[in-house]
Amino acid sequence: MENVIEVENLTHRYGKRVIYEDLNFTVPKEGIFGLLGKNGVGKTTLIKILMGFLRPVSGRCRVLGEDSHNLSPAARIRIGLLFEGHLAYEFMSIAQIERFYSSYYPAWDRDLYYGLVDRLDLPHHHLIKNMSCGQRSQVVLGLIFAQRPELMILDDYSMGLDAGYRRLFLEYLREYIKDGTKTVFVTSHIVQDLEKLVNEVIFLDRGGEIMQTSLDRFMSGFKQFSFKKADSKEMPQKDDIIRNVDNTGSVVSVYSFQSRETVESHLKKQGFDMATLDQVPMTLEDSFIGLTGKY
Amino acid sequence: MFLSILYKEWLKVRLYWVIAFLLNVALFVYLFIRLRHLFAIEHDEMIWYQAFEIGTLHYSHIKYLLIITGMIIGAAQFIPEMLGHRFRLSFHLPVRPNALALWAVFIGLFAVSVICILDAFLLYTIIGNFFPSEAAKSALLTASPWLFAGLTAYVGTALIALEPQLPRKLVYIAITGGFVWLFCQGSDYESYNRALCKLALISLLFFPSAILPAYRYRNRSS
């Protein structure tokens, strides 16, 4: 299958701080891919590198088959990019920004833009600098949809959006990918939104450790088990079987990709009482926190 | 593409351009009123003596006008691009980055040049209204370095605003300041006649240099 994004042996550092070391992944054409990771793991940095706004220390990134640091105008026409913080030309009005962008994109859909933006109930001469963060996001997302790009890269699209508009946006996004030719690469702080949206997830950890899997495989394979701990202060340790450990009061939660039987026998060997062991159903957000930890 | 870039740049600078335009017109109106007053209260021989024997420049107050104009237009055009790294928005447009940077600077330079031409016209007309035409031509030659100082100040401001790193910003401030200073040294009539062409050619090199901070912006690693 054709890849729209290819990252090979990517290494990047800020000073002495390593962001990624030898990062590799690909995003195939078609579908919605979620990039998940805690604050500071380098999600935005990765998008900056993919879009050619930052030169990595080493490695290679290709977007739509072109070197990401040298994307041609023809490739950029095919990429809709949402910058973190819903960056926009704030000196423009709703109508001016539409007029400006429409001249660059041959497949521009004016109705789609105004379909989203008119829900703000603002006059078209309203300046973007006088909008709230959420209103600005609606304008910026409207511009990206109107562009009708083949590849949409959305860096934290949910920032500043209220619940209603977030849902509306997701409906538009589903409609947008319905023809089966589009690809969306998305990061978001609202992990539960992605549960209903993405086909595949890429978990990015500090230092550039990565896990790429389909959402279904991850949700069915990654499990949470809880049990009541005896008085001893000892806790299970992370190892090849136990991916993460958390405890609230006397209840211990362990997270693992292994089966219940494997986890149970593993913890028994460590001397834990498994009489109260139970599997806990998880949402994507629970799984994300289980995988990466709360802090 | 050009029209679209022109539209964006115009939206950014239009208010400041109008302010700069009115400021320039106001100072030339002041020059006209001042000369009219001078001719009303002084004998013509005395004014001639002051201007052409002592070398008094009656229009020296416009010396720094175009420098200020250039700085205003440059700042209005490029500071909004750099706030919150909005320059990235421009670089994601389907346009070659170097072409984008050069067109933007060209448009700003054109905006400053229109005011330069207006100033030259007003200076020639006002001086020609009170003095012989030779004096009006001389005023143009005398003020020419100030016009080039304004254009240099504009491109220098663009360079300084676009440059992502502070140490280099300081270097650009020093180079721009040096050039502008060089254009403002003479205080006599036509004192740059022999050097103006060479200085103007050197200052033209500022124009393509706008590619440099734009390139550095896209190639930074932090």
Side-chain angles (χ1 to χ4, degrees):
Chain A
M1 187 185 276
E2 189 188 336
N3 293 320
V4 288
I5 298 174
E6 291 171 324
V7 174
E8 284 175 32
N9 311 114
L10 182 69
T11 297
H12 194 63
R13 300 183 201 100
Y14 286 131
K16 286 182 179 170
R17 196 178 137 227
V18 177
I19 307 298
Y20 325 110
E21 191 86 63
D22 209 22
L23 183 70
N24 290 280
F25 72 90
T26 56
V27 173
K29 195 176 175 182
E30 296 164 23
I32 305 184
F33 298 81
L35 177 66
L36 297 179
K38 290 200 287 190
N39 290 338
V41 298
K43 299 188 294 293
T44 296
T45 297
L46 182 61
I47 288 176
K48 282 183 188 166
I49 292 171
L50 287 176
M51 288 294 94
F53 302 127
L54 208 55
R55 193 175 272 286
V57 171
S58 64
R60 196 177 74 146
C61 297
R62 294 179 74 78
V63 178
L64 297 176
E66 293 188 11
D67 173 23
S68 72
H69 212 77
N70 211 6
L71 287 172
S72 65
R76 289 204 185 267
I77 282 180
R78 296 159 64 199
I79 305 169
L81 175 62
L82 173 71
F83 292 90
E84 187 188 33
H86 299 91
L87 222 52
Y89 291 121
E90 300 203 346
F91 51 88
M92 290 188 186
S93 69
I94 288 173
Q96 285 167 345
I97 204 164
E98 190 274 334
R99 185 177 159 196
F100 172 68
Y101 276 105
S102 64
S103 60
Y104 288 103
Y105 299 102
W108 188 261
D109 188 338
R110 187 175 188 270
D111 293 339
L112 196 54
Y113 171 74
Y114 280 111
L116 273 163
V117 171
D118 281 344
R119 290 165 197 261
L120 289 169
D121 216 13
L122 291 171
H124 290 178
H125 58 78
H126 194 93
L127 289 177
I128 293 169
K129 70 178 171 194
N130 295 333
M131 290 180 182
S132 70
C133 173
Q135 288 174 322
R136 194 178 66 236
S137 359
Q138 285 180 239
V139 172
V140 175
L141 291 170
L143 291 170
I144 292 170
F145 275 118
Q147 185 188 328
R148 310 293 298 161
E150 283 172 46
L151 169 64
M152 226 185 236
I153 297 182
L154 308 173
D155 191 3
D156 206 358
Y157 74 88
S158 53
M159 190 188 281
L161 294 179
D162 62 33
Y165 188 84
R166 245 172 45 226
R167 191 158 292 186
L168 179 75
F169 169 75
L170 295 178
E171 283 166 15
Y172 266 75
L173 204 55
R174 279 193 203 96
E175 191 61 33
Y176 164 75
I177 58 157
K178 222 162 70 178
D179 70 359
T181 62
K182 310 283 201 305
T183 312
V184 179
F185 187 65
V186 60
T187 75
S188 172
H189 273 99
I190 316 283
V191 180
Q192 72 255 30
D193 278 358
L194 299 185
E195 187 167 6
K196 297 169 201 151
L197 192 70
V198 299
N199 312 111
E200 205 157 307
V201 277
I202 298 169
F203 291 101
L204 189 59
D205 211 345
R206 284 191 211 287
E209 260 188 63
I210 202 161
M211 187 177 79
Q212 184 170 3
T213 174
S214 79
L215 183 66
D216 291 342
R217 200 175 323 134
F218 175 68
M219 293 303 288
S220 59
F222 192 56
K223 304 172 196 79
Q224 178 185 0
F225 302 99
S226 68
F227 62 94
K228 279 197 176 166
K229 182 166 66 91
D231 288 342
S232 78
K233 286 179 182 171
E234 211 170 295
M235 290 278 286
Q237 295 301 306
K238 284 196 254 182
D239 53 28
D240 290 344
I241 291 172
I242 307 297
R243 179 79 193 212
N244 213 344
V245 182
D246 187 27
N247 85 302
T248 315
S250 62
V251 178
V252 177
S253 292
V254 291
Y255 299 87
S256 174
F257 284 101
Q258 304 298 322
S259 66
R260 179 188 175 118
E261 291 72 28
T262 308
V263 171
E264 191 170 356
S265 86
H266 184 67
L267 289 172
K268 266 184 185 166
K269 276 184 205 160
Q270 293 180 21
F272 292 101
D273 178 10
M274 291 289 98
T276 57
L277 186 75
D278 203 8
Q279 185 172 343
V280 181
M282 287 194 292
T283 61
L284 178 61
E285 187 171 272
D286 298 329
S287 304
F288 171 69
I289 293 167
L291 188 73
T292 60
K294 282 181 184 157
Y295 45 83
Chain B
M1 177 193 79
F2 171 72
L3 286 178
S4 186
I5 298 172
L6 176 65
Y7 179 62
K8 177 170 76 99
E9 300 307 320
W10 173 241
L11 288 177
K12 277 188 288 186
V13 303
R14 58 185 176 176
L15 173 67
Y16 300 94
W17 188 84
V18 170
I19 291 170
F21 181 90
L22 292 176
L23 178 71
N24 278 262
V25 170
L27 282 180
F28 278 96
V29 169
Y30 170 71
L31 173 65
F32 177 81
I33 293 168
R34 197 174 130 181
L35 286 177
R36 196 180 59 176
H37 176 71
L38 194 67
F39 275 89
I41 60 165
E42 285 277 20
H43 292 292
D44 292 356
E45 297 84 354
M46 183 56 74
I47 296 168
W48 184 269
Y49 177 75
Q50 283 172 355
F52 302 110
E53 298 298 330
I54 300 175
T56 304
L57 277 177
H58 292 291
Y59 44 87
S60 61
H61 67 282
I62 61 161
K63 191 172 189 178
Y64 302 106
L65 186 58
L66 279 165
I67 297 171
I68 295 164
T69 301
M71 287 168 70
I72 289 173
I73 303 292
Q77 207 180 347
F78 294 107
I79 287 177
E81 298 277 355
M82 301 316 284
L83 290 174
H85 293 290
R86 282 190 183 80
F87 209 22
R88 284 180 289 166
L89 289 167
S90 300
F91 283 139
H92 186 59
L93 294 170
V95 181
R96 291 273 170 212
N98 288 349
L100 183 105
L102 284 178
W103 275 125
V105 173
F106 174 77
I107 289 163
L109 211 49
F110 179 75
V112 180
S113 299
V114 169
I115 296 180
C116 281
I117 291 165
L118 169 87
D119 284 5
F121 171 75
L122 289 174
L123 183 66
Y124 185 83
T125 309
I126 292 168
I127 298 299
N129 188 54
F130 294 99
F131 295 96
S133 65
E134 286 81 0
K137 282 177 199 155
S138 170
L140 277 188
L141 285 170
T142 304
S144 292
W146 310 339
L147 307 188
F148 281 109
L151 297 174
T152 307
Y154 163 75
V155 184
T157 305
L159 281 176
I160 295 158
L162 292 176
E163 172 56 43
Q165 284 188 353
L166 183 63
R168 279 182 183 254
K169 271 188 200 287
L170 296 174
V171 171
Y172 294 153
I173 289 171
I175 294 172
T176 306
F179 260 90
V180 169
W181 175 81
L182 214 53
F183 279 121
C184 296
Q185 284 309 292
S187 53
D188 302 324
Y189 285 98
E190 300 183 33
S191 50
Y192 279 76
N193 277 9
R194 295 176 70 180
L196 192 60
C197 282
K198 288 168 202 144
L199 280 174
L201 280 174
I202 295 170
S203 72
L204 274 180
L205 293 173
F206 264 76
F207 173 58
S209 64
I211 294 174
L212 183 63
Y215 172 84
R216 287 174 37 71
Y217 185 87
R218 289 185 303 117
N219 284 273
R220 68 201 199 286
S221 58
S222 60

mmCIF file of all heavy atoms in Angstrom, chain B residues 9-31:
data_model
loop_
_atom_site.group_PDB
_atom_site.id
_atom_site.type_symbol
_atom_site.label_atom_id
_atom_site.label_comp_id
_atom_site.label_asym_id
_atom_site.label_seq_id
_atom_site.Cartn_x
_atom_site.Cartn_y
_atom_site.Cartn_z
ATOM 1 N N GLU B 9 -0.435 41.318 1.801
ATOM 2 C CA GLU B 9 0.487 42.355 2.273
ATOM 3 C C GLU B 9 -0.244 43.696 2.409
ATOM 4 O O GLU B 9 -0.005 44.448 3.343
ATOM 5 C CB GLU B 9 1.692 42.489 1.313
ATOM 6 C CG GLU B 9 2.517 41.220 1.153
ATOM 7 C CD GLU B 9 2.992 40.619 2.457
ATOM 8 O OE1 GLU B 9 3.381 41.354 3.373
ATOM 9 O OE2 GLU B 9 2.949 39.366 2.583
ATOM 10 N N TRP B 10 -1.151 43.947 1.474
ATOM 11 C CA TRP B 10 -1.899 45.205 1.519
ATOM 12 C C TRP B 10 -2.788 45.254 2.766
ATOM 13 O O TRP B 10 -2.878 46.283 3.445
ATOM 14 C CB TRP B 10 -2.711 45.388 0.239
ATOM 15 C CG TRP B 10 -3.640 46.575 0.275
ATOM 16 C CD1 TRP B 10 -4.991 46.565 0.166
ATOM 17 C CD2 TRP B 10 -3.268 47.948 0.437
ATOM 18 N NE1 TRP B 10 -5.486 47.832 0.260
ATOM 19 C CE2 TRP B 10 -4.453 48.724 0.430
ATOM 20 C CE3 TRP B 10 -2.045 48.611 0.595
ATOM 21 C CZ2 TRP B 10 -4.457 50.097 0.579
ATOM 22 C CZ3 TRP B 10 -2.054 49.996 0.740
ATOM 23 C CH2 TRP B 10 -3.245 50.714 0.733
ATOM 24 N N LEU B 11 -3.414 44.112 3.083
ATOM 25 C CA LEU B 11 -4.259 44.079 4.282
ATOM 26 C C LEU B 11 -3.446 44.408 5.531
ATOM 27 O O LEU B 11 -3.930 45.072 6.447
ATOM 28 C CB LEU B 11 -4.900 42.691 4.446
ATOM 29 C CG LEU B 11 -6.011 42.324 3.469
ATOM 30 C CD1 LEU B 11 -6.485 40.893 3.714
ATOM 31 C CD2 LEU B 11 -7.191 43.283 3.558
ATOM 32 N N LYS B 12 -2.201 43.964 5.553
ATOM 33 C CA LYS B 12 -1.356 44.212 6.730
ATOM 34 C C LYS B 12 -0.918 45.658 6.826
ATOM 35 O O LYS B 12 -0.904 46.238 7.899
ATOM 36 C CB LYS B 12 -0.100 43.319 6.663
ATOM 37 C CG LYS B 12 -0.305 41.915 7.165
ATOM 38 C CD LYS B 12 1.011 41.176 7.256
ATOM 39 C CE LYS B 12 1.554 40.839 5.897
ATOM 40 N NZ LYS B 12 2.751 40.011 5.909
ATOM 41 N N VAL B 13 -0.518 46.228 5.683
ATOM 42 C CA VAL B 13 0.148 47.525 5.751
ATOM 43 C C VAL B 13 -0.757 48.721 5.473
ATOM 44 O O VAL B 13 -0.355 49.859 5.708
ATOM 45 C CB VAL B 13 1.383 47.623 4.802
ATOM 46 C CG1 VAL B 13 2.381 46.544 5.109
ATOM 47 C CG2 VAL B 13 0.992 47.632 3.348
ATOM 48 N N ARG B 14 -1.969 48.470 4.989
ATOM 49 C CA ARG B 14 -2.757 49.597 4.447
ATOM 50 C C ARG B 14 -2.942 50.727 5.456
ATOM 51 O O ARG B 14 -2.763 51.895 5.129
ATOM 52 C CB ARG B 14 -4.105 49.126 3.906
ATOM 53 C CG ARG B 14 -4.973 48.415 4.918
ATOM 54 C CD ARG B 14 -6.230 47.874 4.282
ATOM 55 N NE ARG B 14 -6.989 47.112 5.257
ATOM 56 C CZ ARG B 14 -8.165 46.577 5.024
ATOM 57 N NH1 ARG B 14 -8.729 46.722 3.846
ATOM 58 N NH2 ARG B 14 -8.782 45.897 5.948
ATOM 59 N N LEU B 15 -3.269 50.391 6.695
ATOM 60 C CA LEU B 15 -3.483 51.422 7.712
ATOM 61 C C LEU B 15 -2.193 52.207 7.950
ATOM 62 O O LEU B 15 -2.187 53.441 7.979
ATOM 63 C CB LEU B 15 -3.986 50.783 9.013
ATOM 64 C CG LEU B 15 -4.098 51.724 10.196
ATOM 65 C CD1 LEU B 15 -5.192 52.775 9.959
ATOM 66 C CD2 LEU B 15 -4.403 50.953 11.481
ATOM 67 N N TYR B 16 -1.084 51.453 8.093
ATOM 68 C CA TYR B 16 0.209 52.092 8.393
ATOM 69 C C TYR B 16 0.718 52.867 7.182
ATOM 70 O O TYR B 16 1.371 53.886 7.313
ATOM 71 C CB TYR B 16 1.217 51.032 8.843
ATOM 72 C CG TYR B 16 0.727 50.326 10.082
ATOM 73 C CD1 TYR B 16 0.012 49.136 9.998
ATOM 74 C CD2 TYR B 16 0.920 50.884 11.343
ATOM 75 C CE1 TYR B 16 -0.469 48.506 11.127
ATOM 76 C CE2 TYR B 16 0.429 50.266 12.477
ATOM 77 C CZ TYR B 16 -0.266 49.080 12.366
ATOM 78 O OH TYR B 16 -0.755 48.472 13.488
ATOM 79 N N TRP B 17 0.416 52.358 5.987
ATOM 80 C CA TRP B 17 0.824 53.062 4.775
ATOM 81 C C TRP B 17 0.090 54.401 4.688
ATOM 82 O O TRP B 17 0.709 55.426 4.377
ATOM 83 C CB TRP B 17 0.519 52.205 3.543
ATOM 84 C CG TRP B 17 1.103 52.788 2.273
ATOM 85 C CD1 TRP B 17 2.376 52.623 1.810
ATOM 86 C CD2 TRP B 17 0.462 53.668 1.351
ATOM 87 N NE1 TRP B 17 2.561 53.325 0.655
ATOM 88 C CE2 TRP B 17 1.396 53.981 0.340
ATOM 89 C CE3 TRP B 17 -0.815 54.223 1.273
ATOM 90 C CZ2 TRP B 17 1.101 54.821 -0.730
ATOM 91 C CZ3 TRP B 17 -1.103 55.058 0.198
ATOM 92 C CH2 TRP B 17 -0.153 55.346 -0.787
ATOM 93 N N VAL B 18 -1.183 54.396 4.984
ATOM 94 C CA VAL B 18 -1.970 55.638 4.936
ATOM 95 C C VAL B 18 -1.437 56.615 5.994
ATOM 96 O O VAL B 18 -1.276 57.816 5.722
ATOM 97 C CB VAL B 18 -3.483 55.340 5.147
ATOM 98 C CG1 VAL B 18 -4.267 56.627 5.355
ATOM 99 C CG2 VAL B 18 -4.040 54.583 3.939
ATOM 100 N N ILE B 19 -1.123 56.089 7.198
ATOM 101 C CA ILE B 19 -0.565 56.961 8.253
ATOM 102 C C ILE B 19 0.753 57.566 7.777
ATOM 103 O O ILE B 19 0.986 58.772 7.897
ATOM 104 C CB ILE B 19 -0.368 56.164 9.567
ATOM 105 C CG1 ILE B 19 -1.731 55.798 10.178
ATOM 106 C CG2 ILE B 19 0.494 56.948 10.572
ATOM 107 C CD1 ILE B 19 -1.670 54.826 11.333
ATOM 108 N N ALA B 20 1.633 56.702 7.209
ATOM 109 C CA ALA B 20 2.937 57.189 6.726
ATOM 110 C C ALA B 20 2.741 58.200 5.595
ATOM 111 O O ALA B 20 3.432 59.232 5.546
ATOM 112 C CB ALA B 20 3.767 56.002 6.249
ATOM 113 N N PHE B 21 1.798 57.923 4.706
ATOM 114 C CA PHE B 21 1.497 58.814 3.586
ATOM 115 C C PHE B 21 1.076 60.190 4.119
ATOM 116 O O PHE B 21 1.604 61.229 3.699
ATOM 117 C CB PHE B 21 0.374 58.176 2.754
ATOM 118 C CG PHE B 21 -0.034 58.971 1.548
ATOM 119 C CD1 PHE B 21 0.584 58.771 0.325
ATOM 120 C CD2 PHE B 21 -1.055 59.918 1.621
ATOM 121 C CE1 PHE B 21 0.200 59.494 -0.797
ATOM 122 C CE2 PHE B 21 -1.430 60.649 0.512
ATOM 123 C CZ PHE B 21 -0.804 60.435 -0.707
ATOM 124 N N LEU B 22 0.163 60.191 5.074
ATOM 125 C CA LEU B 22 -0.338 61.458 5.634
ATOM 126 C C LEU B 22 0.760 62.203 6.386
ATOM 127 O O LEU B 22 0.857 63.426 6.322
ATOM 128 C CB LEU B 22 -1.532 61.185 6.560
ATOM 129 C CG LEU B 22 -2.801 60.679 5.858
ATOM 130 C CD1 LEU B 22 -3.883 60.343 6.878
ATOM 131 C CD2 LEU B 22 -3.317 61.689 4.832
ATOM 132 N N LEU B 23 1.611 61.446 7.076
ATOM 133 C CA LEU B 23 2.738 62.055 7.796
ATOM 134 C C LEU B 23 3.673 62.767 6.816
ATOM 135 O O LEU B 23 4.111 63.903 7.049
ATOM 136 C CB LEU B 23 3.490 60.960 8.565
ATOM 137 C CG LEU B 23 4.729 61.395 9.345
ATOM 138 C CD1 LEU B 23 4.327 62.217 10.564
ATOM 139 C CD2 LEU B 23 5.545 60.179 9.786
ATOM 140 N N ASN B 24 3.963 62.085 5.701
ATOM 141 C CA ASN B 24 4.831 62.681 4.684
ATOM 142 C C ASN B 24 4.190 63.927 4.079
ATOM 143 O O ASN B 24 4.844 64.966 3.944
ATOM 144 C CB ASN B 24 5.135 61.654 3.584
ATOM 145 C CG ASN B 24 6.255 60.709 3.979
ATOM 146 O OD1 ASN B 24 7.397 60.902 3.602
ATOM 147 N ND2 ASN B 24 5.943 59.705 4.776
ATOM 148 N N VAL B 25 2.919 63.820 3.732
ATOM 149 C CA VAL B 25 2.218 64.974 3.150
ATOM 150 C C VAL B 25 2.214 66.131 4.152
ATOM 151 O O VAL B 25 2.496 67.287 3.796
ATOM 152 C CB VAL B 25 0.769 64.584 2.737
ATOM 153 C CG1 VAL B 25 -0.039 65.822 2.367
ATOM 154 C CG2 VAL B 25 0.794 63.610 1.559
ATOM 155 N N ALA B 26 1.968 65.820 5.417
ATOM 156 C CA ALA B 26 1.895 66.864 6.455
ATOM 157 C C ALA B 26 3.218 67.611 6.567
ATOM 158 O O ALA B 26 3.244 68.846 6.677
ATOM 159 C CB ALA B 26 1.522 66.230 7.796
ATOM 160 N N LEU B 27 4.333 66.853 6.499
ATOM 161 C CA LEU B 27 5.629 67.527 6.639
ATOM 162 C C LEU B 27 5.956 68.381 5.415
ATOM 163 O O LEU B 27 6.651 69.387 5.526
ATOM 164 C CB LEU B 27 6.722 66.511 6.925
ATOM 165 C CG LEU B 27 6.733 66.046 8.386
ATOM 166 C CD1 LEU B 27 7.838 65.041 8.644
ATOM 167 C CD2 LEU B 27 6.890 67.207 9.365
ATOM 168 N N PHE B 28 5.449 67.974 4.244
ATOM 169 C CA PHE B 28 5.662 68.819 3.062
ATOM 170 C C PHE B 28 4.739 70.040 3.071
ATOM 171 O O PHE B 28 5.127 71.114 2.584
ATOM 172 C CB PHE B 28 5.523 67.991 1.775
ATOM 173 C CG PHE B 28 6.791 67.260 1.456
ATOM 174 C CD1 PHE B 28 6.962 65.941 1.836
ATOM 175 C CD2 PHE B 28 7.845 67.906 0.823
ATOM 176 C CE1 PHE B 28 8.142 65.268 1.570
ATOM 177 C CE2 PHE B 28 9.039 67.245 0.569
ATOM 178 C CZ PHE B 28 9.181 65.919 0.935
ATOM 179 N N VAL B 29 3.573 69.871 3.634
ATOM 180 C CA VAL B 29 2.685 71.043 3.816
ATOM 181 C C VAL B 29 3.384 72.027 4.755
ATOM 182 O O VAL B 29 3.396 73.243 4.521
ATOM 183 C CB VAL B 29 1.307 70.604 4.376
ATOM 184 C CG1 VAL B 29 0.488 71.814 4.821
ATOM 185 C CG2 VAL B 29 0.530 69.809 3.317
ATOM 186 N N TYR B 30 4.015 71.483 5.794
ATOM 187 C CA TYR B 30 4.762 72.328 6.746
ATOM 188 C C TYR B 30 5.899 73.065 6.019
ATOM 189 O O TYR B 30 6.126 74.259 6.238
ATOM 190 C CB TYR B 30 5.297 71.449 7.879
ATOM 191 C CG TYR B 30 6.266 72.150 8.792
ATOM 192 C CD1 TYR B 30 5.832 73.140 9.678
ATOM 193 C CD2 TYR B 30 7.626 71.838 8.759
ATOM 194 C CE1 TYR B 30 6.727 73.797 10.503
ATOM 195 C CE2 TYR B 30 8.521 72.496 9.582
ATOM 196 C CZ TYR B 30 8.066 73.480 10.453
ATOM 197 O OH TYR B 30 8.955 74.132 11.261
ATOM 198 N N LEU B 31 6.600 72.330 5.117
ATOM 199 C CA LEU B 31 7.701 72.951 4.354
ATOM 200 C C LEU B 31 7.163 74.107 3.509
ATOM 201 O O LEU B 31 7.759 75.191 3.478
ATOM 202 C CB LEU B 31 8.366 71.893 3.457
ATOM 203 C CG LEU B 31 9.420 72.413 2.472
ATOM 204 C CD1 LEU B 31 10.628 72.984 3.203
ATOM 205 C CD2 LEU B 31 9.871 71.308 1.513
#
